[in-house]
Amino acid sequence: MAADGPVVQVRGEAYREVPPELARFAVTATARDRDREATLTRLAERAAAVRVLLDSSEPVVARRETGDLRVRPETRRSGERVVAWHGSVTTTVTVTDFTALGELMLRLADQDQVEVAGPWWELRPDSPAHREARHAAITDALLRAREYAEALGARVTALIELADAGPGDRPMFARAAYDGGGGGPELELDPQPQTVQAAVQARFTISDPVLG
């Protein structure tokens, strides 16, 4: 689009911190034995115990995915003689109810030969926070264009071009605090705000400046 009159080019930006909407963590069941079949049997039993626990927590668990199964031999430094077998299987769990997150992670970690890692906080891909940040960036671009125009004794007359120049969002990690108070162990988690950023490049035509 050809510009009719003077043009001002600006960058509009928006930065927001919003509460996370999802929490993900990983649960890994492991087994080790000199016999391969015994290792596989133990691994299957421990993975099944994890599944049973997650089944009982269905209202809390929004999604779960098994994505990393490993079985490997352990050999002596000299030669290929197998002295033991190692097995592991990892399940990624997605939770939306943060009030029950700490309790669920502790219950899983209490299982035999089970490791729990996380959580990692996220926003949903279709979160309204993304759209709101983009709208705010456009508003910022228009405000800047008007400020430049006013400084020249002019006004913004038309939009020539608008392009997304956003850097994207940054995932944040967890802060965990342990509480050793009465009863069983408790785990208090502080969901970390998610950084949402948006940026646009915009070009506007303005009326003739007053330079005298």
Side-chain angles (χ1 to χ4, degrees):
M1 178 178 177
D4 183 13
V7 174
V8 60
Q9 179 171 319
V10 295
R11 176 182 174 91
E13 298 177 321
Y15 174 94
R16 298 287 187 274
E17 285 192 348
V18 298
E21 298 166 340
L22 302 173
R24 301 184 194 276
F25 64 90
V27 186
T28 303
T30 62
R32 180 184 182 278
D33 196 276
R34 292 182 179 181
D35 181 72
R36 179 171 59 183
E37 291 302 320
T39 299
L40 295 176
T41 298
R42 290 181 184 177
L43 181 62
E45 291 174 347
R46 289 164 184 167
V50 169
R51 290 185 64 85
V52 168
L53 201 157
L54 291 175
D55 285 341
S56 67
S57 305
E58 278 299 335
V60 175
V61 176
R63 184 174 180 176
R64 65 188 189 194
E65 303 163 286
T66 302
D68 191 7
L69 171 64
R70 299 185 183 185
V71 178
R72 64 177 180 84
E74 177 186 336
T75 59
R76 293 188 180 276
R77 293 183 179 180
S78 58
E80 296 184 353
R81 181 185 173 186
V82 177
V83 295
W85 289 86
H86 295 261
S88 66
V89 58
T90 299
T91 300
T92 301
V93 182
T94 302
V95 172
T96 55
D97 182 0
F98 301 159
T99 60
L101 177 59
E103 178 186 356
L104 175 59
M105 292 180 69
L106 283 183
R107 289 173 61 196
L108 288 164
D110 195 43
Q111 301 294 305
D112 187 31
Q113 297 298 309
V114 169
E115 175 186 352
V116 177
W120 299 280
W121 309 100
E122 300 177 14
L123 292 175
R124 298 179 185 275
D126 60 349
S127 172
H130 302 295
R131 181 177 64 255
E132 291 168 3
R134 290 191 293 268
H135 288 186
I138 294 172
T139 299
D140 182 57
L142 181 56
L143 177 61
R144 294 188 185 195
R146 285 173 173 165
E147 288 176 348
Y148 285 127
E150 289 173 3
L152 295 171
R155 59 184 176 82
V156 173
T157 57
L159 172 67
I160 301 174
E161 181 181 21
L162 179 67
D164 185 14
D169 307 323
R170 214 174 28 170
M172 304 293 287
F173 297 94
R175 288 198 306 263
Y178 290 88
D179 183 357
E186 295 182 2
L187 181 62
E188 295 182 359
L189 298 175
D190 299 323
Q192 287 194 343
Q194 299 298 287
T195 299
V196 181
Q197 295 174 271
V200 296
Q201 295 282 357
R203 295 173 65 220
F204 298 91
T205 57
I206 62 175
S207 60
D208 290 335
V210 178
L211 302 178

